[in-house]
Amino acid sequence: MTVADVKAALDAEIIGAGDPETVVLRACACDLLSDVLRCVTREKAILLTNLTHLQTVRVAEMVDAAAVCYMRGKRPGDDVIRLAEEKGMVLLTTKMTSYEASGQLCRLGLSGCEHD
Amino acid sequence: MNANHGDPGVVQLLGQELRIRDAMNRRVVTISSRTPMSELRPTLRAHRIAGIPVMDDGKLVGVISVEDMVNWITDGAVACPVAERMTRSPRALYADETLVHAINEFRKFGFFHFPVLDRDSGEVVGVVTREDVIQCLLKRLEIDYHEEGIRHYRASHIFEDIVADKSALLFHYYIIGQDFEKAGSSSSGLKKTLQRLGIHPDIVRRVAIATYEAEMNTVIYARTGELIAKVDTNQIRVEIEDFGPGIPDIAAALKPGFSTAPDWVRNLGFGAGMGLGNIQNCADEMNITSTVGKGIHLEITIAINKERVKYETKKDR
């Protein structure tokens, strides 16, 4: 699945210069960033979150995630967008809640991340 | 060092990322089904191709290949139009399908080329051959890895070029307390450096997560801190020292869920009492000492080469 597929499924918008052809292999809906870091597989994951600060991108970077999608129409600040562009991280925003977005992605067959 | 060259996963991922439209030849040579078979050979020859889509009134009606022509000659080369010797209702691919799909189709049908259709209009927009797919993958690999690859190559050979009984690289980072904007930049810098050294991605990720958690702790609780990473051929050893309030009871701090984080930290998605546990989870060895009022000293060791680590540390001591 690519970011373009996620974008269509969540009726989302790509923020900044993210590449829609970026591959997404799994998803993780989480607002506790320590939980995102406690992982076995998060490579090429899309992180669905209600947080919008800079550390959402930092955490995604540390775990080799591919994209971050902000829920309920939230948008991060310019500093976050700049960092994401620098790191090649795709940012999206959707009007859906985490619950709805997770449901949509699940239906498309996108799996979750493995936990320890 | 575990270099990441020749990782089949990279090609697999590129094959999923790249589409047939990225690989196909857009200059499509077609012929009409009414063309006499005798005129086929010069056309194939002129364009150095092994097969041609047959189009009537803008619609794909078949494919005619060198093999069809050879069979026609073997059968006596009786004058007839292409329509009588072509493969009807040909297999075609869509421009928006992945290269992996194309590779599977080539394998499944044993063809050497496919016409490529636009999904919306149904029109032939290109032709794709096995060679096109290989060329496209190689080109993309080259673009993606050329720049980073040069750095990576140089860096991953550092240890081979050094003449010494024992050698290590030292990377030093400064951490500023309460600076949430810069928080994570040391771990990010170390991560990039380890990647360039050609260390395996799984090990790089473990180091990144462990140092990031430690860096966040320093930013949240301390005034300043330092992160020093020592990398040799066997292991990565990270020391994080901070100057802050310290931890009065380390055993309690190691318990999952234990946290003294203020609300502003919790609101940001941290401070759930998982940090040290996450570090422990990623590290092969973790050691933490603290003096109240002075700060914390945290040592993390992650093995690059598991079998040889024990020998090294024993010699170190």
Side-chain angles (χ1 to χ4, degrees):
Chain A
M1 187 181 290
T2 62
V3 163
D5 300 323
V6 173
K7 180 177 178 280
L10 305 187
D11 197 12
E13 179 198 328
I14 294 177
I15 306 169
D19 180 6
E21 297 298 315
T22 304
V23 173
V24 174
L25 295 182
R26 44 181 75 86
C28 161
C30 196
D31 295 331
L32 183 58
L33 293 178
S34 294
D35 251 348
V36 180
L37 291 164
R38 187 166 193 99
C39 62
V40 182
T41 57
R42 295 266 192 262
E43 277 170 281
K44 298 200 182 284
I46 180 163
L47 169 64
L48 311 179
T49 183
N50 288 288
L51 303 166
T52 55
H53 57 73
L54 197 73
Q55 299 304 324
T56 52
V57 173
R58 280 281 184 225
V59 165
E61 177 199 352
M62 294 306 148
V63 300
D64 297 323
V68 180
C69 184
Y70 302 103
M71 300 292 110
R72 298 179 55 102
K74 291 192 183 84
R75 282 173 170 280
D78 290 343
D79 52 336
V80 181
I81 299 170
R82 263 199 311 276
L83 181 68
E85 284 177 350
E86 188 188 309
K87 299 292 171 192
M89 187 73 58
V90 187
L91 303 184
L92 298 107
T93 179
T94 174
K95 290 204 165 64
M96 292 183 190
T97 62
S98 304
Y99 176 76
E100 290 167 321
S102 302
Q104 292 295 337
L105 295 181
C106 242
R107 248 196 350 210
L108 288 179
L110 197 65
S111 67
C113 299
E114 274 174 50
H115 304 275
D116 55 343
Chain B
M1 301 259 149
N2 284 314
N4 199 22
H5 291 309
D7 185 348
V10 174
V11 175
Q12 185 74 24
L13 283 170
L14 276 181
Q16 281 168 9
E17 198 181 311
L18 291 166
R19 305 291 152 150
I20 291 168
R21 61 172 171 260
D22 301 321
M24 70 186 188
N25 189 341
R26 287 167 198 273
R27 277 169 306 183
V28 196
V29 180
T30 63
I31 53 168
S32 143
S33 70
R34 292 175 295 273
T35 312
M37 278 303 285
S38 54
E39 285 176 24
L40 182 62
R41 195 170 158 191
T43 312
L44 290 172
R45 232 192 184 166
H47 300 280
R48 296 167 161 266
I49 47 181
I52 308 183
V54 183
M55 307 266 291
D56 285 340
D57 308 320
K59 271 199 73 184
L60 180 70
V61 293
V63 167
I64 187 111
S65 66
V66 171
E67 198 186 336
D68 295 324
M69 193 182 69
V70 170
N71 289 339
W72 170 71
I73 293 167
T74 314
D75 293 346
V78 182
C80 70
V82 161
E84 284 182 28
R85 309 294 308 200
M86 70 184 185
T87 307
R88 285 173 189 277
S89 57
R91 287 257 151 206
L93 299 173
Y94 288 109
D96 60 2
E97 287 175 314
T98 62
L99 282 196
V100 164
H101 178 73
I103 292 165
N104 288 338
E105 293 289 293
F106 279 125
R107 194 183 296 154
K108 201 156 91 193
F109 296 101
F111 294 164
F112 290 92
H113 48 85
F114 280 108
V116 182
L117 307 178
D118 178 78
R119 194 179 290 277
D120 296 328
S121 66
E123 277 172 28
V124 178
V125 288
V127 172
V128 68
T129 64
R130 291 179 186 219
E131 201 186 322
D132 292 332
V133 171
I134 294 167
Q135 288 282 3
C136 178
L137 281 170
L138 286 176
K139 213 168 134 194
R140 185 57 181 260
L141 277 169
E142 201 182 339
I143 293 167
D144 275 10
Y145 295 105
H146 188 64
E147 252 187 67
E148 193 57 28
I150 289 170
R151 288 201 186 108
H152 180 108
Y153 180 84
R154 283 189 195 138
S156 60
H157 284 67
I158 277 182
F159 285 106
E160 287 165 32
D161 295 340
I162 291 171
V163 184
D165 290 335
K166 219 171 142 180
S167 56
L169 295 170
L170 208 67
F171 309 110
H172 203 133
Y173 303 88
Y174 298 102
I175 306 167
I176 305 159
Q178 314 295 310
D179 187 349
F180 218 67
E181 294 283 295
K182 273 203 78 185
S185 56
S186 302
S187 310
S188 174
L190 178 61
K191 185 179 184 198
K192 181 117 218 150
T193 305
L194 297 180
Q195 280 169 337
R196 285 183 180 164
L197 282 173
I199 291 164
H200 194 278
D202 290 344
I203 289 173
V204 174
R205 191 161 50 246
R206 281 166 59 205
V207 174
I209 292 168
T211 53
Y212 177 80
E213 286 279 16
E215 187 179 354
M216 288 312 293
N217 277 345
T218 301
V219 171
I220 291 166
Y221 296 107
R223 293 184 303 279
T224 58
E226 283 176 20
L227 189 158
I228 301 167
K230 188 179 156 195
V231 182
D232 62 32
T233 46
N234 294 324
Q235 63 179 27
I236 299 160
R237 193 152 124 191
V238 186
E239 284 183 57
I240 295 118
E241 190 156 32
D242 77 22
F243 307 97
I247 303 173
D249 186 349
I250 288 173
L254 283 170
K255 283 199 186 113
F258 179 91
S259 176
T260 57
D263 280 347
W264 70 270
V265 171
R266 292 175 195 261
N267 289 342
L268 292 170
F270 295 100
M274 297 173 64
L276 290 175
N278 278 357
I279 295 171
Q280 226 163 8
N281 221 27
C282 291
D284 288 317
E285 268 180 60
M286 183 186 99
N287 221 316
I288 179 166
T289 54
S290 175
T291 311
V292 176
K294 278 196 152 175
I296 297 166
H297 186 93
L298 178 69
E299 239 180 81
I300 305 160
T301 309
I302 293 173
I304 295 173
N305 191 338
K306 277 236 156 98
E307 304 89 71
R308 283 164 65 186
V309 164
K310 280 203 174 102
Y311 170 71
E312 274 290 326
T313 42
K314 212 160 80 188
K315 236 173 82 177
D316 278 348
R317 283 165 193 165

